[in-house]
Amino acid sequence: MSIIKKRMLSVLLSLALILAIIPATAATAAAKTITVTVDGKKLSFDVNPQTVGGRTLVPYRTIATALGGTVKYDEKAKKATIVKGKQTVELTLGSRTAKINGVSASLDAAPLNVKGSLLVPLRFVGESLGVWVNWNGSTSTAALETKRSIKHSLGTTTLTSVPKRVVILFNGAVDISVLLGVKPVGAVESYVQQPFYEYIRPSLIGTKTLGDETQSNVEAIVGLKPDIIIATKVRHEKIYDQLKAIAPTIVTEDLSDWQDNLQIQAKIFNKEDIATKFVADWKAKVADFKKKLAPKDKGAEISIIRINPDGSARAYNAGFAYKIFQELGFKTPKAQLATGKEFITVSSLEQVSLLDGDYIFDFTTDWDGDGAVLQHQKKWTSSELWKGLNAVKNKNYYKVNSVTWNLSGGAMAAKLLLDDLYFYFDLE
């Protein structure tokens, strides 16, 4: 047999093998039926939802109608217009740019026309019509919810659409809103670097400030006509009745528990996918940090302190940074534990040993920007008693960023704090 004939036979055999595989592959894909439910009720479609390029696309008209909307299609312009309540959505066939109430919005994938049905990305359904969308990959089920009840520290609040006009009343939640891509109409201003901390400020241009988190401006909140207020128990329990009279109000239990607060906000704003990825990345980095940490530093006693404007010092056995150190496997100095207090005030240099540890991290804040509190800090750190502390003698005393280590308390700040620890513990 000639070389040419051998090559032709090889090509024909390869082609036959490919053709034999295709039907089986297609049958497998077809067997993976995508189910869509609205408030638990399964929807029927003329054209089934499908996965294209890794994106789940669903028939928009059927879902919009099931949610109480109306759909019109301009064949000439290849544009669909959907109206639901006060919401008007415009989609153009083949375009990844839509409009929601006249404002441009990006789609993960361009709408497709399949047998006369307009198919759009599943996630866009929630964003455009104000419903919550949960995707269960194991069952290929998209569950749409037209209302969602959120349990919080002061009760349960039921929402009837994904909130758009958001007011946030504590700093950690402001940080988290930026992470989730939710721009509040109003938020408390930062303690320093007003109006908002520099690392999140670019995402908050146009957000109205509402005083600080210890004394929010209730009249300003009313004027913003929010459809959700995010508050926290320690700051806002006394004004909760006022707040919930303005708008549905969610009150978190602990303003320093960034992971719990992230999950609550993700559930409110239909951003569970972002939160899930962030937490997964966080856990991976925590595991990496623990693995790389030198044996001598595993279980080290960490003292977290600040110098106060009145000249006293404080050690923290609770709060944002403390929770992170606990998660990383560090310990609290025995002398601090013996006090039985979460916040230990040290009024004189004679008590300075209470501030000691294997490491001391100091997030003293220059509250007024006049350097006064830094003079108090200098008085402490220049004393002979201070210089006798173990952490100081071993050169393990560090002045750290007060914003990301204490004042903010959000998910993005937590990541920045952990990045700092890689530096302070000399890890790659």
Side-chain angles (χ1 to χ4, degrees):
M1 186 181 293
S2 68
I3 294 175
I4 294 175
K5 288 182 177 179
K6 285 182 179 180
R7 287 180 178 174
M8 286 293 293
L9 180 60
S10 176
V11 170
L12 289 171
L13 287 172
S14 298
L15 180 60
L17 180 61
I18 291 169
L19 291 173
I21 291 173
I22 287 175
T25 305
T28 301
K32 198 70 171 179
T33 302
I34 296 172
T35 300
V36 179
T37 64
V38 174
D39 293 333
K41 183 178 180 180
K42 183 179 177 180
L43 297 184
S44 297
F45 302 98
D46 294 331
V47 175
N48 289 329
Q50 54 191 263
T51 301
V52 178
R55 303 291 183 186
T56 300
L57 302 182
V58 294
Y60 201 75
R61 178 185 291 274
T62 303
I63 294 176
T65 301
L67 295 171
T70 59
V71 183
K72 294 182 179 179
Y73 188 71
D74 185 334
E75 181 64 39
K76 185 176 181 180
K78 304 297 182 186
K79 184 175 75 173
T81 301
I82 301 93
V83 178
K84 180 179 179 289
K86 296 180 180 180
Q87 200 85 329
T88 299
V89 182
E90 296 173 87
L91 296 159
T92 302
L93 190 66
S95 173
R96 294 181 60 178
T97 300
K99 286 188 176 181
I100 302 175
N101 291 338
V103 179
S104 294
S106 297
L107 285 74
D108 292 335
L112 299 177
N113 187 336
V114 179
K115 297 180 181 179
S117 291
L118 187 69
L119 271 61
V120 300
L122 173 64
R123 180 58 54 184
F124 183 75
V125 173
E127 293 174 353
S128 63
L129 297 181
V131 299
W132 291 268
V133 180
N134 298 308
W135 172 251
N136 186 326
S138 62
T139 62
S140 294
T141 299
L144 280 61
E145 302 173 56
T146 60
K147 63 180 179 179
R148 181 171 278 188
S149 294
I150 310 292
K151 291 184 178 180
H152 56 92
S153 66
L154 296 182
T156 299
T157 297
T158 298
L159 306 174
T160 55
S161 66
V162 178
K164 299 295 183 185
R165 296 188 62 79
V166 181
V167 160
I168 298 180
L169 300 185
F170 67 102
N171 283 276
V174 178
D175 167 304
I176 290 169
S177 74
V178 172
L179 170 66
L180 297 177
V182 175
K183 184 176 178 179
V185 294
V188 290
E189 65 183 10
S190 58
Y191 284 113
V192 296
Q193 300 176 357
Q194 286 94 357
F196 303 110
Y197 297 124
E198 291 172 357
Y199 77 101
I200 56 175
R201 188 181 299 165
S203 298
L204 296 168
I205 295 171
T207 296
K208 183 177 178 61
T209 57
L210 301 170
D212 69 44
E213 67 181 43
T214 64
Q215 193 170 2
S216 305
N217 186 332
V218 176
E219 288 185 1
I221 295 171
V222 173
L224 289 173
K225 298 180 180 179
D227 49 24
I228 187 74
I229 299 171
I230 309 294
T232 192
K233 189 175 181 180
V234 70
R235 301 291 193 223
H236 309 111
E237 184 173 13
K238 292 181 179 179
I239 62 169
Y240 174 61
D241 287 340
Q242 286 180 270
L243 295 175
K244 70 178 183 179
I246 300 169
T249 300
I250 309 296
V251 182
T252 69
E253 181 65 28
D254 183 350
L255 86 170
S256 67
D257 190 342
W258 70 266
Q259 295 194 49
D260 185 56
N261 296 336
L262 172 59
Q263 297 301 334
I264 290 172
Q265 286 180 248
K267 187 175 182 181
I268 291 169
F269 299 122
N270 199 29
K271 301 289 185 179
E272 288 96 334
D273 55 336
I274 298 176
T276 297
K277 184 180 185 308
F278 187 91
V279 171
D281 290 346
W282 169 264
K283 289 181 178 179
K285 194 162 187 177
V286 166
D288 179 71
F289 180 92
K290 289 174 149 181
K291 181 180 179 181
K292 291 178 177 177
L293 192 65
K296 69 179 180 63
D297 289 326
K298 294 184 185 295
E301 294 184 351
I302 304 296
S303 183
I304 309 165
I305 74 165
R306 83 174 190 200
I307 308 302
N308 296 320
D310 64 2
S312 65
R314 172 186 280 187
Y316 286 74
N317 287 337
F320 175 70
Y322 181 83
K323 289 180 186 295
I324 293 174
F325 277 113
Q326 293 291 295
E327 186 174 355
L328 293 171
F330 293 106
K331 295 180 180 178
T332 303
K334 295 180 180 64
Q336 293 179 19
L337 280 177
T339 68
K341 297 178 180 179
E342 292 185 340
F343 306 104
I344 304 163
T345 300
V346 181
S347 301
S348 66
L349 283 167
E350 285 70 27
Q351 299 174 296
V352 74
S353 61
L354 277 173
L355 303 179
D356 203 4
D358 295 319
Y359 288 83
I360 299 174
F361 293 97
D362 179 355
F363 52 59
T364 294
T365 306
D366 186 12
W367 296 102
D368 298 322
D370 59 3
V373 71
L374 300 181
Q375 291 301 312
H376 292 305
Q377 183 188 51
K378 185 176 180 180
K379 180 180 177 181
W380 281 86
T381 59
S382 62
S383 72
E384 292 304 314
L385 289 173
W386 175 270
K387 293 175 183 178
L389 297 179
N390 289 325
V392 177
K393 289 189 294 185
N394 294 326
K395 297 182 179 180
N396 289 333
Y397 164 64
Y398 299 104
K399 297 176 182 178
V400 296
N401 188 319
S402 65
V403 170
T404 52
W405 278 64
N406 182 41
L407 301 178
S408 174
M412 296 171 69
K415 183 180 182 301
L416 291 170
L417 190 160
L418 187 51
D419 288 343
D420 286 348
L421 291 180
Y422 271 80
F423 171 77
Y424 292 126
F425 286 94
D426 196 26
L427 307 178
E428 294 182 358

